[in-house]
Amino acid sequence: MPSQEPRTDVDPRYSSEGVAPTPWPRARDALAAAELFWISTVRPDGRPHVTPLSALWHGDALYFSTGPEERKARNLEANPEVVLTTGTNAWYEGLDVVVEGTAVRTTDEALLRELAAAWEQKYGGFFHYDVGDGCFLHPSGRAYVFVVAPRTAFGFGKGEPFSQTRYRFS
């Protein structure tokens, strides 16, 4: 997992003059509070694939789930590199956060039970999962669970002052 405090810097080309980096704890809190994320994966033929999903910030990483037959799961078989994005669609307020990393499937059932409880606490009963065979189990079927430890992340502060902060993890 990445270190707790990444190295941060502001890109002055896309930031208001003299703005300080958005602190990582603020970006991390935005990840923890977000209900909707967009995941970008790459199809085997190189075309991008983007879709919304729920995700959970747990420990120092993002977790998401997907059915084994879904396009994103099939994409990850060929290329595990992903981008997860969350934020608002407002231009003059909020913080958008982008996380880049490698999606790794987790099958540890103790961790999956912990994640299932956290998912239901965050999202409610629709996201009630049982755990078995290294997967989440839901009336709609099985779901693989993936973890993405941030390699690089970006925080886009919107409104005055505008800022673009890069977080680099070791």
Side-chain angles (χ1 to χ4, degrees):
M1 293 291 163
S3 63
Q4 187 68 13
E5 289 298 319
R7 189 178 70 195
T8 62
D9 58 81
V10 170
D11 190 329
R13 298 172 300 170
Y14 308 110
S15 301
S16 299
E17 188 174 331
V19 71
T22 301
W24 174 243
R26 180 171 174 225
R28 185 188 60 225
D29 290 349
L31 292 169
E35 293 181 3
L36 180 67
F37 290 79
W38 293 88
I39 187 169
S40 302
T41 59
V42 179
R43 298 171 193 263
D45 66 4
R47 291 179 299 135
H49 177 258
V50 180
T51 189
L53 78 164
S54 65
L56 184 70
W57 181 261
H58 185 76
D60 287 329
L62 278 170
Y63 290 82
F64 68 91
S65 65
T66 183
E69 300 303 320
E70 290 186 45
R71 167 59 27 209
K72 57 189 164 294
R74 295 191 328 247
N75 292 347
L76 293 171
E77 290 175 7
N79 183 346
E81 296 302 311
V82 298
V83 177
L84 288 146
T85 305
T86 192
T88 69
N89 63 357
W91 183 254
Y92 287 103
E93 64 184 9
L95 178 68
D96 295 340
V97 183
V98 176
V99 172
E100 299 175 350
T102 304
V104 177
R105 185 169 169 217
T106 184
T107 59
D108 177 271
E109 294 203 2
L111 175 60
L112 290 173
R113 282 190 291 279
E114 188 177 321
L115 293 169
W119 233 285
E120 188 169 357
Q121 181 179 2
K122 179 176 181 180
Y123 289 101
F126 176 78
F127 285 90
H128 172 80
Y129 297 114
D130 292 316
V131 173
D133 195 27
C135 297
F136 278 171
L137 304 173
H138 188 269
S140 63
R142 296 172 357 127
Y144 293 162
V145 179
F146 292 87
V147 58
V148 179
R151 182 176 49 246
T152 304
F154 297 90
F156 297 91
K158 300 182 297 182
E160 286 299 331
F162 285 92
S163 65
Q164 179 178 312
T165 302
R166 179 192 311 255
Y167 308 96
R168 292 187 178 126
F169 298 84
S170 51

